Amino acid sequence: MTVTPSTSTRAVQDGDLIDRLAVREVLERYTHAMDRRDEELMRSCFTPDADLSYFGGLRRFTGHEFADTFVSSLEPFGFIDHSISSPRITVDGDTASLDVHLCATMALRDDPVVLVRWVRVTDELVREPSGWKVAKRRHVPQLQYESPTSPIDFPGVGGKDPADVPVV
């Protein structure tokens, strides 16, 4: 299945909007699951046999393998946040495509360093009875940098060392 982004300028139909919102919800569920390290929620984003290629093809998973193994690999990080930008969603019947940039900001748990990584994610999704699921993903890093962290300080209020802030 290959779905390419539409260049159509036609008016979006109501059904298209509902499907596009549902596809966007899969992306939001994925980022929330990653940030909260929620394997069950992560599993709900993918078909069990999804073809997932991460880090430009250096790591490959099926949908359930990813949820069962990758989430636990985030242990070295305390705080994690994924931000979504430039999403392009197209729907064609029971298939959809998503092309998006994600920014992952990750603070190392035992080192005062924050890692910021931008990736381009292209997904092919399918509509299942339970809703939209990612059937194929390509995750390609675009850039990365590291920077030292500093204490969180609010003038007149005080602050905390980021290492002392609990991960929720």
Side-chain angles (χ1 to χ4, degrees):
M1 163 183 69
T2 301
V3 180
T4 56
S6 170
T7 58
S8 172
T9 57
R10 73 169 175 78
V12 176
Q13 304 300 310
D14 286 346
D16 292 345
L17 288 175
I18 291 167
D19 285 333
R20 288 172 58 195
L21 284 173
V23 168
R24 169 76 185 226
E25 194 277 332
V26 174
L27 176 63
E28 292 171 354
R29 192 168 2 121
Y30 167 80
T31 59
H32 187 82
M34 186 70 78
D35 294 345
R36 301 301 185 268
R37 298 166 177 93
D38 186 331
E39 292 177 11
E40 196 60 35
L41 187 61
M42 181 65 70
R43 191 175 288 107
S44 76
C45 298
F46 302 103
T47 62
D49 61 346
D51 175 14
L52 308 179
S53 170
Y54 273 74
F55 305 108
L58 295 175
R59 301 274 314 268
R60 297 191 73 97
F61 306 90
T62 65
H64 286 183
E65 283 175 338
F66 183 79
D68 294 340
T69 62
F70 192 79
V71 172
S72 64
S73 75
L74 300 173
E75 182 57 34
F77 300 101
F79 172 81
I80 300 176
D81 176 70
H82 284 76
S83 301
I84 300 167
S85 71
S86 305
R88 174 79 168 143
I89 299 167
T90 58
V91 177
D92 185 7
D94 289 335
T95 61
S97 67
L98 169 65
D99 188 345
V100 65
H101 285 121
L102 297 178
C103 178
T105 304
M106 303 171 285
L108 291 172
R109 185 180 307 277
D110 298 324
D111 196 4
V113 173
V114 65
L115 173 92
V116 179
R117 178 182 299 139
W118 281 92
V119 298
R120 180 177 180 191
V121 172
T122 53
D123 286 345
E124 294 177 12
L125 297 96
V126 295
R127 185 193 321 260
E128 294 193 337
S130 61
W132 288 96
K133 306 268 183 157
V134 175
K136 184 175 183 179
R137 168 166 288 170
R138 297 298 170 256
H139 167 285
V140 180
Q142 303 292 297
L143 67 91
Q144 174 177 310
Y145 64 90
E146 293 181 14
S147 179
T149 60
S150 60
I152 300 169
D153 188 17
F154 299 98
V157 177
K160 284 195 149 216
D161 185 324
D164 296 334
V165 177
V167 176
V168 180

